[in-house]
Coordinates of all heavy atoms in Angstrom, one line a residue:
M200 N 129.5 54.2 88.6 CA 128.7 55.1 89.5 C 128.5 54.3 90.8 O 128.1 53.2 90.7 CB 127.4 55.5 88.8 CG 126.7 56.5 89.5 SD 125.1 56.9 88.7 CE 125.5 58.4 87.8
K201 N 128.6 55.0 91.9 CA 128.4 54.3 93.2 C 126.9 54.0 93.3 O 126.0 54.7 92.7 CB 128.8 55.2 94.3 CG 130.3 55.4 94.4 CD 130.7 56.2 95.6 CE 132.2 56.3 95.7 NZ 132.6 57.1 96.9
K202 N 126.6 53.0 94.1 CA 125.3 52.6 94.3 C 124.4 53.7 94.9 O 123.2 53.8 94.5 CB 125.3 51.4 95.3 CG 124.0 50.6 95.3 CD 124.2 49.4 96.2 CE 123.3 48.2 95.7 NZ 123.5 47.1 96.6
S203 N 124.9 54.5 95.8 CA 124.1 55.6 96.4 C 123.8 56.7 95.3 O 122.7 57.2 95.3 CB 124.8 56.2 97.6 OG 126.0 56.8 97.2
H204 N 124.7 56.9 94.4 CA 124.5 57.9 93.4 C 123.4 57.4 92.4 O 122.6 58.1 91.9 CB 125.8 58.3 92.6 CG 126.7 59.1 93.4 ND1 127.9 58.5 93.9 CD2 126.6 60.3 93.9 CE1 128.5 59.5 94.6 NE2 127.8 60.5 94.6
W205 N 123.5 56.1 92.1 CA 122.5 55.5 91.2 C 121.1 55.6 91.8 O 120.2 56.0 91.1 CB 122.9 54.0 90.9 CG 122.0 53.3 90.1 CD1 121.1 52.3 90.5 CD2 121.7 53.4 88.7 NE1 120.3 51.9 89.5 CE2 120.7 52.6 88.4 CE3 122.2 54.3 87.7 CZ2 120.2 52.4 87.1 CZ3 121.8 54.1 86.4 CH2 120.8 53.3 86.1
L206 N 121.0 55.2 93.1 CA 119.7 55.3 93.7 C 119.1 56.7 93.8 O 118.0 57.0 93.5 CB 119.8 54.7 95.2 CG 118.5 54.7 96.0 CD1 117.4 53.9 95.3 CD2 118.8 54.2 97.4
F207 N 120.0 57.7 94.0 CA 119.6 59.1 94.1 C 119.1 59.5 92.7 O 118.1 60.2 92.5 CB 120.8 60.0 94.5 CG 120.4 61.4 94.5 CD1 119.6 62.0 95.5 CD2 120.9 62.3 93.5 CE1 119.3 63.3 95.5 CE2 120.6 63.6 93.5 CZ 119.8 64.2 94.5
A208 N 119.8 59.1 91.6 CA 119.4 59.5 90.3 C 118.1 58.9 89.9 O 117.2 59.6 89.3 CB 120.5 59.0 89.3
V209 N 117.8 57.7 90.3 CA 116.6 57.0 90.0 C 115.4 57.7 90.7 O 114.4 58.0 90.2 CB 116.6 55.5 90.4 CG1 115.2 54.9 90.4 CG2 117.6 54.8 89.4
L210 N 115.6 58.1 92.0 CA 114.6 58.8 92.8 C 114.3 60.1 92.2 O 113.1 60.5 92.1 CB 115.0 58.9 94.2 CG 115.1 57.6 95.0 CD1 115.7 57.9 96.4 CD2 113.7 57.0 95.1
V211 N 115.3 60.9 91.8 CA 115.1 62.2 91.1 C 114.3 62.0 89.8 O 113.3 62.8 89.6 CB 116.4 62.9 90.9 CG1 116.2 64.1 90.0 CG2 117.1 63.3 92.2
L212 N 114.7 61.0 89.0 CA 114.0 60.8 87.8 C 112.5 60.4 88.0 O 111.6 60.9 87.4 CB 114.6 59.7 87.0 CG 114.0 59.3 85.6 CD1 114.1 60.6 84.7 CD2 114.8 58.2 85.0
M213 N 112.3 59.6 89.0 CA 110.9 59.2 89.4 C 110.1 60.5 89.8 O 108.9 60.6 89.5 CB 110.9 58.1 90.5 CG 111.3 56.8 89.9 SD 111.5 55.5 91.2 CE 109.9 55.6 92.0
A214 N 110.7 61.3 90.7 CA 110.0 62.5 91.2 C 109.7 63.5 90.0 O 108.6 64.0 89.9 CB 110.9 63.2 92.2
L215 N 110.6 63.6 89.0 CA 110.3 64.5 87.9 C 109.2 63.9 87.0 O 108.4 64.7 86.5 CB 111.6 64.7 87.1 CG 112.7 65.5 87.8 CD1 114.0 65.5 86.9 CD2 112.2 67.0 88.0
C216 N 109.2 62.6 86.8 CA 108.1 62.0 86.0 C 106.8 62.2 86.7 O 105.8 62.5 86.1 CB 108.4 60.5 85.8 SG 109.8 60.3 84.6
W217 N 106.7 62.0 88.0 CA 105.5 62.1 88.7 C 105.0 63.5 88.7 O 103.8 63.8 88.5 CB 105.7 61.6 90.2 CG 104.4 61.8 91.0 CD1 103.4 60.9 91.0 CD2 104.1 62.8 91.9 NE1 102.4 61.4 91.8 CE2 102.8 62.6 92.4 CE3 104.8 64.0 92.3 CZ2 102.2 63.4 93.3 CZ3 104.1 64.8 93.2 CH2 102.8 64.5 93.7
A218 N 105.9 64.5 88.9 CA 105.5 65.9 88.9 C 104.9 66.3 87.5 O 103.9 67.0 87.4 CB 106.7 66.8 89.3
G219 N 105.5 65.8 86.5 CA 105.1 66.1 85.1 C 103.7 65.5 84.8 O 102.8 66.1 84.3
W220 N 103.5 64.3 85.3 CA 102.3 63.5 85.0 C 101.1 64.2 85.8 O 100.1 64.4 85.3 CB 102.4 62.1 85.4 CG 101.2 61.3 85.3 CD1 100.6 60.8 84.1 CD2 100.3 61.0 86.3 NE1 99.4 60.2 84.4 CE2 99.2 60.3 85.8 CE3 100.3 61.2 87.7 CZ2 98.1 59.8 86.5 CZ3 99.2 60.7 88.4 CH2 98.2 60.1 87.8
S221 N 101.4 64.5 87.1 CA 100.3 65.0 87.9 C 99.9 66.4 87.4 O 98.7 66.8 87.5 CB 100.7 65.1 89.4 OG 101.7 66.0 89.6
G222 N 100.8 67.2 86.9 CA 100.5 68.5 86.4 C 99.6 68.5 85.2 O 98.7 69.3 85.0
R223 N 99.9 67.5 84.3 CA 99.0 67.4 83.1 C 97.6 66.9 83.5 O 96.7 67.3 82.9 CB 99.7 66.4 82.1 CG 100.7 67.1 81.2 CD 101.2 66.2 80.2 NE 102.4 65.6 80.8 CZ 102.8 64.3 80.7 NH1 102.1 63.5 80.0 NH2 103.8 63.9 81.3
A224 N 97.5 66.0 84.4 CA 96.2 65.5 84.8 C 95.4 66.6 85.4 O 94.2 66.6 85.1 CB 96.4 64.3 85.8
Q225 N 95.9 67.4 86.2 CA 95.1 68.5 86.8 C 94.7 69.6 85.8 O 93.6 70.1 85.9 CB 95.9 69.1 88.0 CG 96.1 68.2 89.2 CD 96.9 68.8 90.2 OE1 97.5 69.9 90.1 NE2 97.0 68.1 91.4
S226 N 95.6 69.9 84.9 CA 95.3 71.0 84.0 C 94.2 70.6 83.0 O 93.6 71.4 82.4 CB 96.5 71.4 83.2 OG 97.0 70.4 82.4
S227 N 94.0 69.3 82.8 CA 93.0 68.8 81.8 C 91.6 68.8 82.4 O 90.6 68.6 81.7 CB 93.4 67.5 81.2 OG 93.3 66.5 82.2
L228 N 91.4 68.9 83.7 CA 90.1 68.9 84.3 C 89.4 70.2 84.1 O 90.0 71.3 84.3 CB 90.2 68.6 85.8 CG 90.6 67.2 86.2 CD1 90.7 67.2 87.8 CD2 89.7 66.2 85.7
R229 N 88.2 70.2 83.7 CA 87.3 71.4 83.5 C 86.1 71.2 84.3 O 85.5 70.1 84.3 CB 87.0 71.5 82.0 CG 88.2 71.6 81.1 CD 88.3 73.0 80.6 NE 89.5 73.1 79.8 CZ 90.0 74.2 79.4 NH1 89.4 75.3 79.8 NH2 91.0 74.3 78.7
W230 N 85.6 72.2 84.9 CA 84.4 72.2 85.8 C 83.3 73.1 85.3 O 83.6 74.1 84.7 CB 84.8 72.5 87.2 CG 85.8 71.6 87.8 CD1 87.2 71.8 87.9 CD2 85.6 70.3 88.3 NE1 87.8 70.7 88.5 CE2 86.8 69.8 88.8 CE3 84.4 69.5 88.5 CZ2 87.0 68.5 89.4 CZ3 84.6 68.3 89.1 CH2 85.8 67.8 89.5
E231 N 82.1 72.7 85.6 CA 80.9 73.4 85.3 C 80.2 73.7 86.6 O 80.2 72.8 87.5 CB 80.0 72.5 84.4 CG 78.8 73.1 83.9 CD 78.0 72.2 82.9 OE1 78.5 71.0 82.7 OE2 77.0 72.6 82.4
Y232 N 79.6 74.9 86.8 CA 79.1 75.2 88.1 C 77.6 75.6 87.9 O 77.2 76.1 86.9 CB 79.8 76.4 88.7 CG 81.3 76.1 89.0 CD1 82.2 76.3 88.0 CD2 81.6 75.4 90.1 CE1 83.6 76.0 88.3 CE2 82.9 75.1 90.4 CZ 83.9 75.4 89.4 OH 85.2 75.1 89.7
K233 N 76.8 75.3 89.0 CA 75.4 75.7 89.0 C 75.0 76.2 90.4 O 75.5 75.7 91.4 CB 74.6 74.4 88.7 CG 73.1 74.6 88.8 CD 72.4 73.2 88.6 CE 72.2 73.0 87.1 NZ 71.1 72.1 86.8
V234 N 74.2 77.2 90.4 CA 73.7 77.7 91.7 C 72.2 77.7 91.7 O 71.5 78.1 90.7 CB 74.1 79.2 91.9 CG1 73.6 79.7 93.2 CG2 75.6 79.3 91.9
I235 N 71.6 77.1 92.7 CA 70.1 77.0 92.8 C 69.7 77.7 94.1 O 70.3 77.4 95.2 CB 69.6 75.6 92.9 CG1 70.0 74.9 91.6 CG2 68.1 75.5 93.1 CD1 69.6 73.4 91.6
T236 N 68.8 78.7 94.0 CA 68.3 79.5 95.2 C 66.9 79.0 95.5 O 66.1 79.1 94.6 CB 68.4 81.0 94.9 OG1 69.8 81.3 94.6 CG2 67.9 81.8 96.1
T237 N 66.7 78.6 96.7 CA 65.3 78.1 97.0 C 65.1 78.2 98.5 O 66.1 78.2 99.3 CB 65.1 76.7 96.6 OG1 63.7 76.3 96.9 CG2 66.0 75.7 97.2
S238 N 63.9 78.3 99.0 CA 63.5 78.3 100.4 C 63.1 76.9 100.8 O 62.8 76.6 101.9 CB 62.4 79.3 100.7 OG 61.3 79.0 100.0
N239 N 62.9 76.0 99.8 CA 62.5 74.6 100.1 C 63.5 73.6 99.6 O 63.6 73.3 98.4 CB 61.1 74.4 99.4 CG 60.6 73.0 99.6 OD1 61.1 72.2 100.3 ND2 59.4 72.8 99.0
H240 N 64.3 73.1 100.5 CA 65.4 72.2 100.1 C 64.8 70.9 99.5 O 65.5 70.2 98.8 CB 66.4 71.9 101.2 CG 65.8 71.1 102.3 ND1 65.1 71.7 103.3 CD2 65.9 69.8 102.6 CE1 64.7 70.7 104.2 NE2 65.2 69.6 103.7
H241 N 63.6 70.5 99.8 CA 63.0 69.3 99.3 C 62.7 69.4 97.8 O 62.6 68.4 97.1 CB 61.7 69.0 100.0 CG 61.9 68.7 101.5 ND1 62.5 67.6 102.0 CD2 61.6 69.5 102.6 CE1 62.6 67.6 103.3 NE2 62.0 68.8 103.7
A242 N 62.6 70.6 97.3 CA 62.3 70.8 95.9 C 63.5 70.8 95.0 O 63.5 70.9 93.8 CB 61.6 72.2 95.7
L243 N 64.7 70.6 95.6 CA 65.9 70.6 94.8 C 66.1 69.4 93.9 O 66.6 69.6 92.8 CB 67.2 70.6 95.8 CG 67.6 71.9 96.4 CD1 68.7 71.8 97.4 CD2 68.0 72.9 95.3
G244 N 65.6 68.3 94.3 CA 65.8 67.1 93.5 C 67.3 66.6 93.5 O 67.9 66.5 92.5
L245 N 67.8 66.5 94.8 CA 69.2 66.2 94.9 C 69.6 64.9 94.2 O 70.7 64.7 93.7 CB 69.6 66.2 96.4 CG 69.6 67.5 97.1 CD1 69.9 67.4 98.5 CD2 70.6 68.5 96.4
D246 N 68.7 63.9 94.3 CA 69.0 62.6 93.6 C 69.2 62.8 92.1 O 70.1 62.2 91.5 CB 67.9 61.6 94.0 CG 68.0 61.1 95.4 OD1 69.1 61.2 96.0 OD2 66.9 60.7 95.9
Q247 N 68.3 63.5 91.5 CA 68.4 63.7 90.1 C 69.6 64.5 89.7 O 70.3 64.2 88.7 CB 67.1 64.5 89.6 CG 65.9 63.7 89.6 CD 65.2 63.7 91.0 OE1 65.6 64.4 91.9 NE2 64.2 62.9 91.2
L248 N 70.0 65.5 90.5 CA 71.2 66.3 90.3 C 72.4 65.4 90.4 O 73.4 65.5 89.6 CB 71.3 67.5 91.2 CG 70.3 68.6 91.0 CD1 70.3 69.6 92.2 CD2 70.7 69.3 89.7
G249 N 72.4 64.5 91.4 CA 73.5 63.6 91.6 C 73.6 62.6 90.4 O 74.7 62.3 89.9
D250 N 72.5 62.2 89.9 CA 72.5 61.3 88.7 C 73.1 62.0 87.5 O 73.6 61.3 86.6 CB 71.1 60.8 88.4 CG 70.6 59.8 89.5 OD1 71.4 59.2 90.2 OD2 69.3 59.6 89.5
Q251 N 72.9 63.3 87.4 CA 73.5 64.0 86.3 C 74.9 64.4 86.5 O 75.5 65.1 85.7 CB 72.6 65.3 86.1 CG 71.2 65.1 85.7 CD 70.4 66.3 85.8 OE1 70.9 67.4 86.0 NE2 69.0 66.2 85.6
G252 N 75.5 64.0 87.6 CA 76.9 64.3 87.9 C 77.2 65.5 88.7 O 78.4 65.8 89.0
W253 N 76.2 66.2 89.2 CA 76.4 67.4 90.0 C 76.8 67.0 91.5 O 76.2 66.1 92.0 CB 75.1 68.2 90.1 CG 74.8 68.9 88.8 CD1 73.9 68.5 87.9 CD2 75.5 70.0 88.2 NE1 73.9 69.3 86.8 CE2 74.9 70.2 86.9 CE3 76.6 70.8 88.5 CZ2 75.3 71.3 86.1 CZ3 77.0 71.8 87.7 CH2 76.3 72.0 86.5
E254 N 77.7 67.7 92.0 CA 78.2 67.5 93.4 C 78.0 68.8 94.2 O 78.4 69.9 93.8 CB 79.7 67.2 93.3 CG 80.3 67.0 94.7 CD 81.8 66.8 94.6 OE1 82.4 66.6 93.5 OE2 82.5 66.9 95.6
L255 N 77.3 68.7 95.3 CA 77.0 69.8 96.2 C 78.3 70.2 96.9 O 79.0 69.4 97.5 CB 76.0 69.5 97.2 CG 75.6 70.6 98.2 CD1 75.0 71.8 97.5 CD2 74.7 70.0 99.3
I256 N 78.8 71.5 96.7 CA 80.0 71.9 97.3 C 79.9 73.0 98.3 O 80.8 73.2 99.1 CB 81.0 72.4 96.2 CG1 80.4 73.5 95.3 CG2 81.4 71.3 95.3 CD1 81.3 74.2 94.4
A257 N 78.7 73.7 98.4 CA 78.5 74.7 99.4 C 77.1 75.1 99.5 O 76.3 74.9 98.6 CB 79.4 75.9 99.1
I258 N 76.7 75.6 100.7 CA 75.4 76.2 100.9 C 75.6 77.5 101.6 O 76.3 77.6 102.6 CB 74.5 75.2 101.8 CG1 74.4 73.9 101.2 CG2 73.2 75.9 102.1 CD1 73.7 72.9 102.1
A259 N 74.9 78.5 101.1 CA 74.9 79.9 101.7 C 73.5 80.2 102.2 O 72.6 80.2 101.4 CB 75.5 80.9 100.7
K260 N 73.4 80.5 103.4 CA 72.1 80.9 104.0 C 71.8 82.4 103.9 O 72.7 83.2 104.2 CB 72.0 80.4 105.4 CG 72.1 78.9 105.6 CD 71.9 78.5 107.0 CE 72.0 77.0 107.0 NZ 71.4 76.4 108.2
N261 N 70.7 82.7 103.4 CA 70.3 84.2 103.2 C 68.9 84.4 103.7 O 68.1 83.4 103.9 CB 70.4 84.5 101.7 CG 71.8 84.4 101.2 OD1 72.7 84.9 101.7 ND2 71.9 83.6 100.1
E262 N 68.5 85.7 103.8 CA 67.1 86.0 104.1 C 66.6 86.9 102.9 O 67.4 87.7 102.4 CB 67.0 86.8 105.4 CG 67.1 85.9 106.6 CD 66.8 86.6 107.9 OE1 66.5 87.8 107.8 OE2 66.8 85.9 108.9
S263 N 65.4 86.7 102.6 CA 64.8 87.5 101.5 C 63.5 88.2 102.0 O 62.8 87.5 102.8 CB 64.5 86.6 100.3 OG 63.8 87.3 99.3
A264 N 63.2 89.4 101.6 CA 62.0 90.0 102.0 C 60.9 89.8 100.9 O 61.2 90.1 99.7 CB 62.2 91.5 102.2
S265 N 59.9 89.2 101.3 CA 58.8 88.9 100.3 C 57.5 89.3 100.9 O 57.0 88.8 101.9 CB 58.8 87.3 100.0 OG 57.7 87.0 99.2
A266 N 56.9 90.3 100.3 CA 55.6 90.9 100.7 C 55.7 91.3 102.2 O 54.8 91.1 103.0 CB 54.5 89.9 100.5
G267 N 56.8 91.9 102.6 CA 57.0 92.5 103.9 C 57.4 91.5 104.9 O 57.7 91.8 106.1
A268 N 57.4 90.2 104.6 CA 57.9 89.1 105.5 C 59.3 88.6 105.1 O 59.6 88.6 104.0 CB 56.9 88.0 105.5
R269 N 60.0 88.3 106.2 CA 61.4 87.8 105.9 C 61.2 86.3 105.6 O 60.6 85.5 106.4 CB 62.3 88.0 107.1 CG 62.7 89.5 107.2 CD 64.1 89.5 107.8 NE 64.6 90.8 107.8 CZ 65.3 91.4 106.8 NH1 65.3 90.8 105.7 NH2 65.8 92.6 106.9
V270 N 61.9 85.8 104.6 CA 61.9 84.4 104.2 C 63.3 83.9 104.1 O 64.2 84.6 103.5 CB 61.2 84.2 102.8 CG1 61.2 82.8 102.4 CG2 59.8 84.7 102.9
A271 N 63.6 82.8 104.8 CA 64.9 82.2 104.7 C 65.1 81.5 103.4 O 64.3 80.6 103.0 CB 65.1 81.3 105.9
V272 N 66.1 81.8 102.7 CA 66.4 81.1 101.4 C 67.9 80.7 101.5 O 68.7 81.3 102.2 CB 66.2 82.0 100.2 CG1 64.8 82.4 100.0 CG2 67.1 83.3 100.2
N273 N 68.2 79.7 100.7 CA 69.5 79.1 100.7 C 70.0 79.1 99.2 O 69.2 78.8 98.3 CB 69.6 77.7 101.2 CG 69.3 77.7 102.7 OD1 69.6 78.6 103.4 ND2 68.5 76.7 103.1
D274 N 71.3 79.4 99.0 CA 71.9 79.2 97.7 C 72.7 77.9 97.8 O 73.6 77.7 98.7 CB 72.9 80.4 97.4 CG 72.2 81.7 97.3 OD1 71.1 81.7 96.7 OD2 72.7 82.7 97.7
Y275 N 72.4 77.0 96.9 CA 73.1 75.7 96.8 C 74.1 75.7 95.6 O 73.6 76.0 94.5 CB 72.1 74.6 96.7 CG 71.2 74.4 97.8 CD1 70.0 75.2 98.0 CD2 71.5 73.5 98.9 CE1 69.2 75.1 99.1 CE2 70.7 73.4 100.0 CZ 69.5 74.2 100.1 OH 68.7 74.0 101.1
F276 N 75.3 75.5 95.9 CA 76.4 75.6 94.8 C 76.8 74.2 94.5 O 77.1 73.4 95.3 CB 77.6 76.4 95.3 CG 77.3 77.8 95.7 CD1 76.8 78.2 96.9 CD2 77.4 78.8 94.7 CE1 76.5 79.5 97.2 CE2 77.1 80.1 95.0 CZ 76.6 80.5 96.2
F277 N 76.8 73.9 93.2 CA 77.1 72.6 92.6 C 78.2 72.7 91.6 O 78.4 73.7 91.0 CB 75.9 71.9 92.0 CG 74.7 71.7 92.9 CD1 73.8 72.7 93.1 CD2 74.6 70.5 93.5 CE1 72.7 72.5 93.9 CE2 73.5 70.2 94.3 CZ 72.5 71.2 94.5
K278 N 79.0 71.6 91.4 CA 79.9 71.5 90.4 C 79.9 70.1 89.8 O 79.5 69.2 90.4 CB 81.4 71.9 90.8 CG 82.0 70.8 91.6 CD 83.5 71.1 91.9 CE 84.1 69.9 92.6 NZ 85.5 70.1 92.9
R279 N 80.3 70.0 88.5 CA 80.5 68.7 87.9 C 81.6 68.9 86.8 O 81.8 69.9 86.3 CB 79.2 68.2 87.3 CG 78.7 68.9 86.0 CD 77.5 68.2 85.5 NE 76.9 68.9 84.4 CZ 75.8 68.6 83.8 NH1 75.1 67.6 84.2 NH2 75.3 69.4 82.9
Q280 N 82.2 67.7 86.5 CA 83.3 67.7 85.5 C 82.6 67.8 84.1 O 81.6 67.2 83.9 CB 84.1 66.5 85.6 CG 85.4 66.5 84.8 CD 86.2 65.3 85.1 OE1 86.0 64.6 86.0 NE2 87.2 65.2 84.3
R281 N 83.2 68.7 83.3 CA 82.7 68.8 81.9 C 83.1 67.6 81.1 O 84.1 67.0 81.2 CB 83.3 70.0 81.2 CG 82.6 71.2 81.7 CD 83.1 72.4 80.9 NE 82.4 73.6 81.4 CZ 82.3 74.7 80.7 NH1 82.9 74.8 79.6 NH2 81.7 75.7 81.2

């Protein structure tokens, strides 16, 4: 076999092995999700959530009507690996 064919075969084999390995690694990951709605972000306890493995992934700002007054509330979305 020529040297260039040998190198090509090795590169193809390496690419196939890498593709198979990365596919298995991603499919084995499982995630758990949590949503906390609050108007006081100080009450979240972000340090404690982080210690438990939770990662903040998004914040959605909303308004809520409470006793005739508009109150700004936020939805905090978290995820962690199971």
Side-chain angles (χ1 to χ4, degrees):
M200 191 182 261
K201 290 184 178 182
K202 196 177 211 179
S203 62
H204 289 112
W205 175 253
L206 181 60
F207 179 75
V209 168
L210 291 174
V211 168
L212 181 60
M213 287 174 55
L215 290 173
C216 289
W217 179 79
W220 176 78
S221 66
R223 274 183 271 141
Q225 291 176 355
S226 67
S227 64
L228 290 179
R229 303 253 178 190
W230 298 99
E231 182 177 7
Y232 299 93
K233 175 185 277 208
V234 179
I235 298 176
T236 302
T237 183
S238 60
N239 182 2
H240 70 277
H241 297 291
L243 278 174
L245 292 174
D246 288 334
Q247 292 82 7
L248 289 167
D250 290 341
Q251 296 169 8
W253 291 104
E254 177 184 352
L255 179 64
I256 56 173
I258 301 172
K260 296 183 179 200
N261 299 307
E262 284 189 359
S263 174
S265 176
R269 290 213 172 274
V270 177
V272 295
N273 296 321
D274 294 323
Y275 295 85
F276 297 86
F277 298 87
K278 74 173 184 178
R279 72 175 172 186
Q280 190 173 350
R281 285 186 180 196

